[in-house]
Amino acid sequence: MPRLPTPVTLSPVRSQPRALRRRRRRESATAWAFVSPSVLVIIGLSVVPVLWSLLLSFRADDLVTPSRWVGLDNYDALVQDPHFHEAVRNTLLYTLLYVPLSIVAGLALALALNREIRFVGLYRTLFFVPFVVSATAQGVLFSFVLDPEFGVANSVLHHLGISPQGFLTDPSQALYVLIIISLWSGTGLCTVIYLAALQDVPKELIEAARLDGAEHRHVLRHVTLPVVTPVTVFLLLWQTIQALQVFDLVYVTTKGGPLGSTTVIVYFIWEQAFKNFTAGYGAAAAYVLALALLVPAVVLRLVRAGRERHTRKEAAAS
């Protein structure tokens, strides 16, 4: 009996990868179809302005007439500008006072609220509410409260027998008053984050330390604080970035005054770009600020790398 010819068929080993590749291409095309509008928005509203402002920082531009290339002249002018130096000093002073005070106050409040007391939920909410209030609303509120002539603060001081204060109108007080206002609102975030971290501290460690005779301050120093160290590093970075970018509160309350005592870097950038119409000069100042903001990010990265190396060494040693 003659043998039937073997039918010609495609090898499943070869056809399967092709079908898989086609399916993956279709899935990728579908995914990009959904993602592309967001990508275009991000590129149009973040990447393009960043590149355009970098190019602008090397040009003399008043946003009206055609610009011209000036190279590094804008950056050289910043080095010699006393107003920019004053803005840098004010920003650094604001940051050096606001950041540690907000973190310490947040930790203290978190320790006080991490207890089983009556109405603790209400207290936590009350301390967090100021953080939710916008900086504009805070500025308007405290402008009325701290008004030298009709404000509530001077009225209270008068009843206490203390002479009236200038507050936001006094060059020697204005920046410190802004720091206090920022602490009133910014401490709430630190408190909430520390509360979450404190509730993750192993109770077994605390109980073991107390059984060994450790006092409350020793438990805080040797058990609690080491556990919440990553949270402290995060808050240090976050609060530093927020402090270096402060603008809304200054704009609403003092507008950089009196006598430039509250002019910070971001307000200086806005003033140069949109008030004095020297957009190239303002863009150069903005990139100086951007480099300053990179510093805490690099420091955090180095700290994390050091901790990872230390952890790997301990794991290898054990």
Side-chain angles (χ1 to χ4, degrees):
M1 183 177 181
R3 297 181 59 184
L4 296 174
T6 304
V8 179
T9 57
L10 293 176
S11 174
V13 178
R14 295 182 180 178
S15 61
Q16 186 175 1
R18 260 185 221 171
L20 184 60
R21 285 197 296 270
R22 284 198 299 268
R23 187 176 66 184
R24 286 179 177 175
R25 282 197 295 267
R26 286 197 301 268
E27 291 177 352
S28 298
T30 304
W32 276 109
F34 283 106
V35 172
S36 56
S38 300
V39 172
L40 292 176
V41 170
I42 292 172
I43 293 175
L45 297 181
S46 59
V47 178
V48 172
V50 166
L51 296 178
W52 180 76
S53 61
L54 177 61
L55 179 63
L56 187 64
S57 67
F58 298 106
R59 307 182 71 88
D61 194 335
D62 59 2
L63 301 177
V64 178
T65 59
S67 62
R68 58 186 177 84
W69 183 265
V70 295
L72 296 174
D73 289 353
N74 287 326
Y75 294 93
D76 292 336
L78 283 176
V79 175
Q80 303 172 8
D81 190 348
H83 298 292
F84 180 70
H85 297 167
E86 184 179 28
V88 171
R89 283 195 300 270
N90 291 337
T91 305
L92 290 178
L93 179 59
Y94 179 93
T95 303
L96 291 175
L97 291 177
Y98 169 70
V99 173
L101 288 176
S102 64
I103 292 176
V104 171
L107 178 59
L109 289 173
L111 290 171
L113 296 174
N114 191 35
R115 299 179 180 181
E116 295 296 333
I117 56 177
R118 293 184 62 186
F119 308 116
V120 65
L122 175 63
Y123 298 147
R124 292 174 180 175
T125 303
L126 291 177
F127 280 112
F128 185 70
V129 164
F131 175 74
V132 182
V133 179
S134 67
T136 303
Q138 295 172 31
V140 173
L141 172 64
F142 281 97
S143 295
F144 284 108
V145 172
L146 302 175
D147 187 273
E149 297 181 5
F150 309 105
V152 177
N154 271 336
S155 177
V156 173
L157 293 178
H158 175 72
H159 287 294
L160 295 176
I162 303 175
S163 60
Q165 303 295 315
F167 296 118
L168 294 173
T169 61
D170 188 341
S172 64
Q173 299 179 1
L175 185 62
Y176 299 101
V177 172
L178 290 180
I179 294 172
I180 294 173
I181 297 173
S182 300
L183 287 172
W184 176 78
S185 62
T187 303
L189 175 66
C190 299
T191 302
V192 171
I193 293 179
Y194 268 128
L195 271 173
L198 289 174
Q199 294 179 16
D200 286 338
V201 177
K203 295 182 179 180
E204 296 81 6
L205 294 179
I206 298 176
E207 292 175 357
R210 288 176 178 171
L211 288 174
D212 289 339
E215 298 179 0
H216 181 71
R217 58 189 178 90
H218 295 130
V219 174
L220 175 64
R221 179 181 177 183
H222 298 288
V223 177
T224 305
L225 292 182
V227 173
V228 300
T229 296
V231 173
T232 303
V233 174
F234 163 75
L235 286 175
L236 183 63
L237 174 65
W238 178 266
Q239 294 293 80
T240 300
I241 292 174
Q242 296 300 311
L244 292 175
Q245 296 184 103
V246 62
F247 171 76
D248 297 356
L249 189 61
V250 175
Y251 181 81
V252 174
T253 54
T254 62
K255 289 185 169 52
L259 302 177
S261 60
T262 60
T263 299
V264 291
I265 293 181
V266 178
Y267 187 84
F268 176 85
I269 295 169
W270 174 86
E271 194 174 38
Q272 297 302 320
F274 301 106
K275 190 175 179 181
N276 298 337
F277 293 101
T278 52
Y281 191 55
Y287 267 88
V288 172
L289 175 61
L291 292 176
L293 291 174
L294 282 177
V295 172
V298 172
V299 170
L300 179 62
R301 179 61 183 171
L302 293 176
V303 170
R304 285 183 175 177
R307 287 173 61 89
E308 290 175 358
R309 285 196 299 269
H310 182 68
T311 304
R312 285 197 296 267
K313 287 181 181 179
E314 288 185 345
S318 61

